[in-house]
Amino acid sequence: MIALLLALGSSLAYGCADFLGGLGARKAHVLRTVMIAAPASLVVEVVLWPWLGASFSVATLGWGAASGVASAAAFALLYRTLAIGPMNVLSPVTALVSAALPVVVGLVQGEHLSAAGLVGLPLALVAVVLVSAGHGAGSARPSRAALLLAFGAGAAIALQLIFLHQAPSDSGVAPLIVGRAVSSAVTLGAAGLMRRKLGPERPAYVMSAAAGVLDSVANLLFLLAARSGDLAVVAVIVALYPAGTVLLARGVLAERIHPSQLAGLGTAAVAVSLLAVT
């Protein structure tokens, strides 16, 4: 139950971070937003160091760095995927892959589910797809290249979570610090190379920094959840993060919730209840 609550908190934080990051990206080039968000996220993790501890063993450095590279790759592939479109088809593909791969890894590593979990887990995967779907799903057919990018983005997101889970359980926040330092370096390096294409617009500093802080909180809650529960369950719950984005868009921007997304929210509630029994 503790792992489930932590995973739900992580999912909500990821959804809020994406919402704020998306709003910030409307005001300036997305890399300008990330240039603020990534260092802000790193600062939070460093501040948490004295309270949660950090052990920088060789294994921790390796898995943390791998998660950072996967995080940077996920960012690049995801936004390239959404730029090609159609988003209403590719977003569910990305979300499903990001949820399914950790499930496979968890089960291969010997995790077991109860009867309720065997029902709740597939329901949660269905909820991930429904919540991620937008208006008019199926109205456009994506290209093969777009589908490959969507799979790549989902795989990169999944690998980030898997690599964090593989880090030693007694390493504290060290994997997060290493991962964020690596992903920040990659992102800032890319921004430096593309500085002439970033445009003159200034980023929304407060909004971008808040997105980074929430992303850091989400990573921490995921790490704690994965250390106290099964990766197969935790990763699927975390993959429901679009639900938080959808609800915020409804409450703040008055965006309409598509019927499929509403069905996804209901399915998610049932799935979480079953996984709670597990």
Side-chain angles (χ1 to χ4, degrees):
M1 181 62 72
I2 293 176
L4 188 67
L5 292 175
L6 290 170
L8 285 171
S10 176
S11 179
L12 181 60
Y14 274 130
C16 293
D18 282 358
F19 177 75
L20 292 176
L23 287 183
R26 293 182 180 182
K27 300 179 180 298
H29 193 284
V30 66
L31 274 179
R32 290 195 180 277
T33 299
V34 179
M35 288 170 63
I36 304 299
S41 180
L42 180 58
V43 167
V44 171
E45 289 159 3
V46 172
V47 168
L48 291 173
W49 183 350
W51 284 274
L52 299 179
S55 175
F56 294 90
S57 65
V58 174
T60 299
L61 292 174
W63 289 116
S67 74
V69 173
S71 175
F75 165 77
L77 290 170
L78 179 61
Y79 280 96
R80 179 57 180 163
T81 299
L82 298 181
I84 293 178
M87 292 185 186
N88 53 17
V89 177
L90 298 177
S91 290
V93 171
T94 298
L96 181 60
V97 174
S98 71
L101 285 183
V103 170
V104 173
V105 171
L107 295 178
V108 168
Q109 291 181 339
E111 296 177 357
H112 300 283
L113 297 173
S114 67
L118 290 174
V119 176
L121 199 61
L123 273 182
L125 290 172
V126 171
V128 168
V129 175
L130 292 175
V131 170
S132 303
H135 299 275
S139 60
R141 185 175 181 177
S143 66
R144 181 178 299 180
L147 281 174
L148 288 175
L149 283 170
F151 273 99
I157 294 171
L159 286 174
Q160 179 194 2
L161 301 181
I162 292 169
F163 291 154
L164 286 175
H165 176 258
Q166 295 299 117
S169 59
D170 60 351
S171 57
V173 295
L176 300 179
I177 294 174
V178 175
R180 185 58 65 189
V182 170
S183 63
S184 297
V186 172
T187 302
L188 293 174
L193 293 174
M194 297 177 59
R195 59 184 181 278
R196 295 183 179 180
K197 299 181 180 180
L198 299 185
E201 297 84 2
R202 293 184 177 182
Y205 291 101
V206 174
M207 196 177 298
S208 300
V213 170
L214 285 168
D215 186 73
S216 182
V217 170
N219 285 335
L220 174 62
L221 291 176
F222 164 78
L223 191 62
L224 295 176
R227 287 174 177 174
S228 58
D230 290 338
L231 176 64
V233 174
V234 169
V236 172
I237 298 300
V238 170
L240 290 169
Y241 65 86
T245 306
V246 167
L247 293 174
L248 276 174
R250 171 59 180 167
V252 178
L253 303 178
E255 291 186 2
R256 178 173 170 265
I257 298 180
H258 192 265
S260 65
Q261 293 175 316
L262 192 60
L265 293 173
T267 304
V270 175
V272 170
S273 299
L274 288 170
L275 292 173
V277 175
T278 300

